[in-house]
Amino acid sequence: MNTTNSEFFSALSERIPGGVNSPFRAFQAVGGHPPVLVRGRGSRVWDVEGTEYLDFCCAWGPLMLGHSHPELVAAGRQALEDGSVFGASTPWELEFVEAITAAYPSMQKVRLVNSGAEAVASTLRVARGATGKARIVKFEGCYHGHVECLDSVGIEAEELGGPLALGASPGSAAETLIATFNDLASVRTILQAHHQEVAAVIIEPIPGSMAVTRPLPGFLEGLRCLCEEFGVLLIFDEVLSGCRVARGGAQEIFGVQPDLTCLGKALAGGMPVGAYGGRRDLMDHVAPLGKVYQAGTFCGNPLTVRCGTANLKHLAQAGVYQRLAEETDFLTRSLEGLHPNLRFVAYPGMFGLYFAPREITNHHDMEQVDLEFYRGFYHRLLAKGIYLPPSSLDAAGLSLAHSRPDLERFVQAVAEGLS
Ligand SMILES: Cc1ncc(COP(=O)(O)O)c(C=O)c1O
């Protein structure tokens, strides 16, 4: 019988490629075996051996209220009792999309889907359908999920050994043009040459896969202007930043309105979810109103939607993001100076922690990140009961369940983990 993490992980690896249902979860970047988790409550998770960890991975983004929040548990339980899926319209969809559009005024109409990747793929379809153009501009180092034309080229493909991801269609990859984050000139060059073929520019306004990268002052505003100038749509992929950095995401913080937005993760507090939406005239291209087809059996299912509404209601309470901002400020102040190469880049609800001589501004800077140092550091923190994302280049999470003593414990573990 399996009892330890390594026994369970070996057994999982017999039946599931790499033992994981999403490659991020494997410990390839830090080495060793991941703990196999069985329970989460508030800011903590427990593995099959009964070891407790303070969770700063937060399921890679969704858990703004922490694990098993009573309001979400109640909403989910009621949904299971009333019927978890009907494949028909329900009143709860209205409540949920109204909560979304209240937080994201740029989303005049919304479609609910089941994951971030599904939201991104569907948004690209709307952009192409509405403009009649096929090509998409993306930024190197921005992650948009498992969406063929976006993850099959550039560094994501190169990491796996080739200019085109194995199994990807060359035709779909040829639709993608790649710009440099924080570099408006790179976008202008591409649009000058190709704007007649480009449907949209898609960007993570606050990227979470180059650790956490800050958009430089004026970059997002300048991008909005360039899209206007060349007649292409602007898509914000806020699957990660949405409801984390502010209730209304990066677009609320920077005051830049995209034409279309993709959401997911923190929208439904831990239920599988995605949403996309934007200008009414663009969203009216979606079937059955228009001819851009997108459908799904579980889209807008009551279980997700009722938990999602409970989550968004909680996040709409006064002071929620102020508290998160105070906690990330506390971490920033407390970690400063602990190590000359320690970089801590935080927004309310998410942070990047890595070792490099200076802060990352685009994918070129990732070369300077000391991945080897992070490996040892990661395992020293894990041994102290601190569970971070197992990659120094992925965003960590902070939830409302993390208390000040939790954060003090984290700071102390970091200090000890550095020595
Ligand atoms: C910015 C961004 N977009 C899209 C996705 C894909 O979301 P999902 O994993 O729910 O498909 C992710 C996931 O990490 C993401 O961070």
Side-chain angles (χ1 to χ4, degrees):
M1 211 180 77
N2 303 312
T3 54
T4 65
N5 286 312
S6 71
E7 282 165 357
F8 267 106
F9 196 68
S10 302
L12 286 163
S13 302
E14 285 296 312
R15 294 288 178 204
I16 298 174
V20 288
N21 279 306
S22 185
F24 287 107
R25 299 173 199 169
F27 267 31
Q28 278 177 324
V30 292
H33 282 185
V36 176
L37 303 184
V38 286
R39 199 160 75 87
R41 183 60 56 94
S43 61
R44 284 158 168 75
V45 288
W46 288 264
D47 70 17
V48 288
E49 296 174 15
T51 308
E52 179 184 304
Y53 305 89
L54 250 181
D55 181 13
F56 290 95
C57 185
C58 295
W60 304 87
L63 302 170
M64 287 301 288
L65 310 189
H67 294 268
S68 311
H69 191 280
E71 288 162 27
L72 268 70
V73 171
R77 186 169 286 146
Q78 193 61 53
L80 282 171
E81 279 176 11
D82 293 342
S84 62
V85 65
F86 299 117
S89 293
T90 69
W92 303 294
E93 289 167 291
L94 180 62
E95 242 191 323
F96 191 41
V97 295
E98 282 182 344
I100 295 172
T101 52
Y104 295 82
S106 73
M107 298 173 83
Q108 294 171 337
K109 275 195 174 179
V110 180
R111 230 332 139 68
L112 300 175
V113 289
N114 304 295
S115 70
E118 218 180 313
V120 172
S122 308
T123 308
L124 297 188
R125 218 173 224 217
V126 172
R128 291 188 176 118
T131 60
K133 299 190 273 182
R135 300 187 88 174
I136 302 291
V137 177
K138 69 160 268 185
F139 290 84
E140 193 71 293
C142 286
Y143 178 68
H144 300 288
H146 181 52
V147 176
E148 175 134 310
C149 70
L150 300 178
D151 76 350
S152 59
V153 285
I155 51 174
E156 283 161 30
E158 282 157 25
E159 273 166 18
L160 294 172
L164 177 70
L166 194 62
S169 118
S172 125
E175 289 162 4
T176 310
L177 297 158
I178 305 182
T180 301
F181 193 80
N182 273 329
D183 180 356
L184 288 174
S186 74
V187 185
R188 177 174 286 283
T189 305
I190 291 174
L191 291 182
Q192 257 163 354
H194 299 288
H195 67 275
Q196 280 166 342
E197 305 134 47
V198 171
V201 173
I202 185 166
I203 189 165
E204 262 188 287
I206 301 173
S209 296
M210 298 188 270
V212 169
T213 311
R214 287 184 239 259
L216 294 174
F219 173 63
L220 295 172
E221 295 83 344
L223 188 62
R224 177 68 274 184
C225 292
L226 276 177
C227 288
E228 298 293 333
E229 183 182 333
F230 287 99
V232 303
L233 298 174
L234 178 60
I235 303 172
F236 273 9
D237 176 352
E238 297 228 48
V239 169
L240 186 63
S241 55
C243 300
R244 286 212 82 85
V245 299
R247 186 166 69 106
Q251 52 196 272
E252 179 185 318
I253 295 184
F254 296 103
V256 175
Q257 301 289 292
D259 300 297
L260 292 161
T261 298
C262 317
L263 297 171
K265 298 209 188 232
L267 211 48
M271 299 304 293
V273 72
Y276 67 97
R279 276 171 31 202
R280 183 178 295 272
D281 61 308
L282 298 174
M283 289 303 287
D284 282 349
H285 284 275
V286 178
L289 214 52
K291 291 192 164 47
V292 173
Y293 192 69
Q294 177 270 310
T297 302
F298 291 103
C299 292
N301 72 79
L303 184 54
T304 293
V305 161
R306 293 174 77 169
C307 288
T309 303
N311 178 55
L312 292 183
K313 274 189 184 157
H314 192 104
L315 294 179
Q317 288 172 16
V320 159
Y321 287 91
Q322 180 57 33
R323 212 205 108 205
L324 284 169
E326 283 162 12
E327 299 303 28
T328 42
D329 283 352
F330 168 77
L331 286 177
T332 306
R333 285 194 312 276
S334 307
L335 295 172
E336 202 175 320
L338 286 185
H339 186 281
N341 278 354
L342 173 63
R343 299 283 159 260
F344 183 78
V345 181
Y347 288 91
M350 76 191 233
F351 64 83
L353 189 163
Y354 56 97
F355 298 93
R358 61 189 170 84
E359 208 174 297
I360 293 174
T361 56
N362 61 37
H363 69 282
H364 297 299
D365 297 340
M366 288 203 286
E367 282 168 17
Q368 304 171 20
V369 176
D370 191 341
L371 303 177
E372 196 48 47
F373 188 83
Y374 189 80
R375 279 170 171 256
F377 171 79
Y378 183 84
H379 282 286
R380 288 194 288 279
L381 262 68
L382 196 64
K384 292 177 192 300
I386 304 291
Y387 183 67
L388 281 163
S391 149
S392 117
L393 293 171
D394 283 300
L398 192 70
S399 78
L400 292 162
H402 288 89
S403 64
R404 186 55 73 90
D406 287 345
L407 302 189
E408 285 164 353
R409 201 179 124 199
F410 175 67
V411 171
Q412 191 183 345
V414 171
E416 290 168 5
L418 288 169
S419 54

